[in-house]
């Protein structure tokens, strides 16, 4: 009889659970039994592992073989357990020393010829292994860079089972032929989900992406865009077709600051699990940008799929921008499903197969027309939409959802003078991004030692008790509350925006002008201090 054990990782959403893979050999009729709540793809590993071991010049044990995955109560799926199962079987057969693999974490799929194929979710899997105290992991060579992002973990990248056996037995390591020059590596197909597309949810490099200088006019909307980026405030752009709402939203990721190291790891983990991490780019450094079509279902937005839920658009936009163009055209269920993640920064998806908690701290940008034809706010342009139809159309954005939107700005039609101006171009993305970075740095310094990094995350209680504005600065906001124009949640969001306006202006704390500007950006009603001049306070 022989026994060996090693470890792998089961992913539940974007969180990993270390699984002990045990192999037991005993006398009896040759058979291979796999237990421990495996799914279909994992059950098929019996055939893949047997063929891979035989084709790697190792002997398959002709005994009764039982492989157990512990803890047995955790659902396990995917082909990433193949490498660990093969190592445990070889350890039980004494082809390799069982003690060598006891403290290893192995992740990877095996081809029938013994080659190790990459799988999705390597980064969150290695993070889970590191948190559990493991210091050595073995992964496919193509994902070694992704695994190496986790500090304190020694990573071994292998291209075949032969190489792994040679390393573990101190034998000469065979060389494996890389793909021919100019041809894609077929084994990278395991990193991508069919239909997801490479780069989905990733923003373009600011140097190559669209520039704010291309947007003519729209001084108020540009100002709101800057405030939204500086404080991570949710934004609604309303106005007729052709005013530039989509142009503005597409340029929002370019003025966001680069992700911190921790944020990059969070975003990379989500994209790795979703199967949309571009090959050759193990770490996502730019804020993601996700813009689903208005026909998207609720499951595609918040997460879903067969079995355990997979990340949806709100998670793919984590630490970045989720842009919903033609927002009233989305289904009411899909829009209202955003209300909970907007407040909590995560989404909990419950399905029959289990409950998954996915990160979803994103900046929401909405674009909407005033009516189905889009000409309701224009004078003399012949809008023939009935008043009842206009009310129903505007009501598709529910009150509770709008109450969670910090900035509501109307994008008016561009004037001829703005469109045909011969003077200098408007401010570029780089110029605005510099101001946003400075404002973020002020907020980060002020919030040091707290769980928050931007003004848009600060709870209302903290704003009202520890981060106080100048005396008398809330006079206008207090009148709006008395008139029923502002809710308690609305006041909290006005205070968050006021702090961001103050950070952009270099003030130590918001004064009455900062609060009035925050109120104007939220309600669209001028408060004596206007943002429409384009001047920066």
């Amino acid at each position: 009889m022989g026994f060996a054990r090693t470890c792998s990782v089961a992913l539940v959403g974007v969180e990993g659970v270390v699984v002990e893979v045990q192999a037991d050999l005993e006398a009896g009729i040759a058979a291979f039994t796999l237990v421990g709540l495996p799914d279909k793809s994992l059950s098929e590993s019996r055939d893949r592992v047997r063929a891979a071991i035989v084709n790697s010049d190792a002997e398959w044990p002709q005994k009764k073989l039982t492989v157990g995955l512990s803890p047995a109560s955790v659902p396990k799926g995917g082909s990433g357990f193949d490498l660990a199962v093969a190592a445990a079987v070889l350890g039980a057969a004494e082809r390799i020393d069982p003690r060598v693999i006891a403290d290893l974490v192995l992740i990877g799929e095996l081809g029938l010829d013994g080659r190790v194929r990459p799988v999705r979710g390597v980064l969150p899997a290695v993070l889970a292994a590191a948190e559990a105290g493991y210091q050595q992991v073995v992964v496919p060579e193509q994902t070694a860079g992704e695994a190496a992002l986790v500090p304190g973990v020694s990573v071994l990248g292998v291209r075949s089972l032969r190489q792994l056996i040679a390393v573990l037995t101190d034998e000469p390591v065979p060389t494996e032929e890389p793909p021919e020059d100019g041809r894609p590596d077929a084994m990278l197909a395991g990193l991508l989900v069919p239909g997801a597309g490479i780069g989905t949810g990733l923003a373009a490099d600011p140097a190559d992406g669209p520039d704010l200088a291309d947007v003519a006019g729209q001084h108020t909307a540009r100002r709101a865009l800057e405030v939204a980026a500086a404080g991570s405030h949710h934004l609604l752009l309303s106005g007729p077709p052709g005013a530039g709402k989509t142009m503005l939203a597409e340029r929002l990721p370019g003025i966001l600051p680069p992700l911190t190291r921790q944020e990059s790891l969070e975003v990379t983990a989500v994209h790795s699990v979703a199967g949309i991490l571009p090959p050759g780019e193990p770490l996502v450094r730019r804020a993601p940008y996700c813009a689903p079509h208005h026909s998207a279902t609720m499951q595609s937005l918040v997460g879903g799929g067969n079995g355990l839920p997979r990340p949806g658009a709100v998670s793919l936009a984590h630490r970045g921008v989720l842009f919903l163009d033609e927002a009233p055209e989305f289904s009411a269920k899909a829009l209202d499903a955003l209300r909970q993640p907007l407040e909590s920064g995560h989404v909990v998806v419950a399905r029959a197969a289990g409950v998954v908690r996915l990160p979803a701290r994103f900046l929401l940008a909405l674009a909407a027309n005033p009516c189905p034809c889009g000409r309701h706010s224009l004078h003399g342009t012949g809008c023939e939409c009935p008043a009842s139809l206009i009310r129903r159309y505007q009501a598709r954005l529910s009150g509770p959802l709008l109450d969670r939107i910090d900035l509501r700005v109307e994008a008016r039609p561009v004037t001829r003078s703005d469109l045909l101006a011969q003077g200098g171009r408007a401010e570029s993305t780089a110029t605005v991004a510099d101001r946003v970075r400075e404002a973020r740095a002020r907020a980060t310094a002020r919030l040091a030692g707290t769980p928050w990094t931007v003004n848009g995350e600060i709870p209302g209680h903290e704003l009202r008790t520890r981060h106080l504005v100048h005396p008398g600065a809330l006079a206008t906001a207090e009148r709006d509350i008395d008139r029923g124009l502002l809710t308690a949640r609305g006041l909290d969001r006005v205070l968050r925006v006021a702090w961001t306006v103050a950070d952009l202006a270099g003030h130590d704390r918001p004064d009455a002008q900062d609060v009035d500007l925050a109120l104007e950006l939220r309600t669209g009603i001028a408060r004596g201090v206007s943002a429409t001049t384009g001047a920066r306070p």
Side-chain angles (χ1 to χ4, degrees):
M1 293 193 302
F3 177 83
R5 65 180 181 86
T6 187
C7 294
S8 191
V9 178
L11 289 178
V12 182
V14 295
E15 299 176 353
V17 178
V18 175
V19 173
E20 187 175 75
V21 181
Q22 303 170 340
D24 177 72
L25 282 174
E26 58 186 56
I29 299 175
F32 187 171
T33 304
L34 182 64
V35 297
L37 214 58
D39 71 350
K40 179 66 174 176
S41 61
L42 180 51
S43 296
E44 293 174 348
S45 69
R46 293 175 296 186
D47 300 317
R48 291 193 299 268
V49 169
R50 180 188 290 110
I53 289 179
V54 172
N55 290 323
S56 298
D57 301 325
E59 184 179 353
W60 179 260
Q62 298 300 320
K63 296 181 180 180
K64 182 181 179 181
L65 170 62
T66 303
V67 173
L69 308 175
S70 179
S73 59
V74 175
K76 306 167 191 71
S79 56
F81 289 87
D82 289 2
L83 198 58
V85 171
V89 171
L90 292 171
E94 298 183 353
R95 175 63 177 87
I96 57 180
D97 188 347
R99 295 172 296 179
V100 175
I101 61 173
D103 294 324
L104 283 182
V105 174
L106 300 101
I107 304 164
E109 176 186 334
L110 284 175
L112 300 183
D113 58 354
R115 289 186 298 172
V116 180
R117 304 178 67 93
V119 294
R120 295 179 285 115
V122 166
L123 177 59
V126 177
L127 284 169
E131 291 175 358
Y134 291 89
Q135 299 179 345
Q136 293 181 311
V137 298
V138 180
V139 298
E141 185 181 66
Q142 295 87 342
T143 57
E146 184 180 343
L149 297 173
V150 181
V153 175
S154 175
V155 178
L156 172 63
V158 294
R159 201 169 185 88
S160 69
L161 184 58
R162 297 182 191 87
Q163 289 185 340
L164 177 62
I165 295 173
V167 170
L168 297 179
T169 56
D170 293 329
E171 298 174 359
V173 179
T175 58
E176 299 289 345
E177 294 295 330
E180 297 179 14
D181 293 339
R183 296 184 59 185
D185 190 345
M187 291 201 294
L188 294 176
L191 297 176
L192 304 175
V193 173
I198 298 178
T200 301
L202 297 179
D205 191 318
D208 304 325
D211 199 319
L212 263 176
D214 301 332
V215 181
Q218 300 300 353
H219 304 297
T220 303
R222 290 171 62 96
R223 175 62 175 167
L225 210 68
E226 182 177 343
V227 172
S232 192
H233 302 291
H234 308 304
L235 170 68
L236 168 63
L237 295 169
S238 60
K245 303 185 296 295
T246 303
M247 285 185 67
L248 285 162
E250 289 175 344
R251 285 151 178 79
L252 181 55
I255 62 177
L256 291 175
L259 300 176
T260 64
R261 175 73 177 186
Q262 180 60 35
E263 292 172 344
S264 292
L265 290 176
E266 293 175 7
V267 174
T268 302
V270 173
H271 285 71
S272 178
V273 169
I276 57 175
L277 190 64
E281 294 186 21
L283 186 65
V284 178
R285 294 182 173 86
R286 300 185 302 274
Y289 173 75
C290 194
H293 190 260
H294 61 255
S295 61
T297 63
M298 182 180 70
Q299 289 77 14
S300 68
L301 285 181
V302 301
N306 296 327
L308 286 175
R310 292 179 53 248
V314 296
S315 297
L316 298 181
H318 180 59
R319 300 296 182 184
V321 177
L322 176 63
F323 175 47
L324 303 185
D325 201 3
E326 306 294 346
E329 301 296 339
F330 283 79
S331 71
K333 288 179 62 178
L335 290 174
D336 285 337
L338 301 177
R339 286 153 54 177
Q340 184 262 341
L342 285 176
E343 288 290 327
S344 63
H346 64 267
V347 59
V348 178
V349 184
R351 296 290 185 269
V355 180
V356 173
R357 184 180 187 272
L358 299 168
R361 189 166 295 283
F362 55 91
L363 194 166
L364 178 63
L366 304 174
N369 292 327
C371 67
C373 76
R375 299 191 296 269
H376 174 64
S377 60
L378 304 178
H379 298 287
T381 54
C383 173
E384 298 180 354
C385 298
S388 59
L389 179 61
I390 295 175
R391 286 195 299 270
R392 286 197 302 269
Y393 185 81
Q394 295 178 349
R396 293 180 182 179
L397 299 179
S398 65
L401 176 63
L402 289 177
D403 201 35
R404 290 166 168 82
I405 305 299
D406 304 338
L407 311 171
R408 308 173 194 172
V409 179
E410 182 178 359
R412 297 186 176 276
V414 180
T415 63
R416 181 180 61 178
S417 58
D418 286 331
L419 190 61
L420 303 178
Q422 299 299 318
R425 302 174 75 197
E427 285 185 318
S428 66
T429 293
T431 302
V432 178
D434 288 340
R435 290 203 299 267
V436 169
R437 259 193 306 272
E438 293 173 3
R440 285 272 186 117
R442 294 189 185 99
T444 301
R446 183 176 64 252
L447 298 173
T450 70
W452 316 290
T453 57
V454 292
N455 295 321
E457 299 176 358
I458 308 176
H461 176 74
E462 293 288 326
L463 289 169
R464 295 189 298 270
T465 57
R466 297 188 182 181
H467 300 275
L468 302 178
V469 301
H470 277 288
L474 292 177
T476 307
E478 291 169 355
R479 288 196 296 270
D480 282 1
I481 292 178
D482 293 337
R483 296 170 183 169
L485 301 177
L486 201 64
T487 64
R489 181 191 289 122
L491 176 62
D492 292 342
R493 294 190 174 276
V494 166
L495 289 174
R496 294 172 184 172
V497 175
W499 273 104
T500 301
V501 173
D503 288 335
L504 286 167
H507 301 161
D508 59 342
R509 55 177 174 163
D511 56 20
Q513 292 185 346
D514 296 329
V515 174
D516 287 349
L517 179 53
L519 280 168
E520 180 175 344
L521 290 175
R522 179 175 177 83
T523 64
I525 303 174
R527 307 292 174 144
V529 178
S530 177
T532 58
T533 61
R536 183 167 60 93

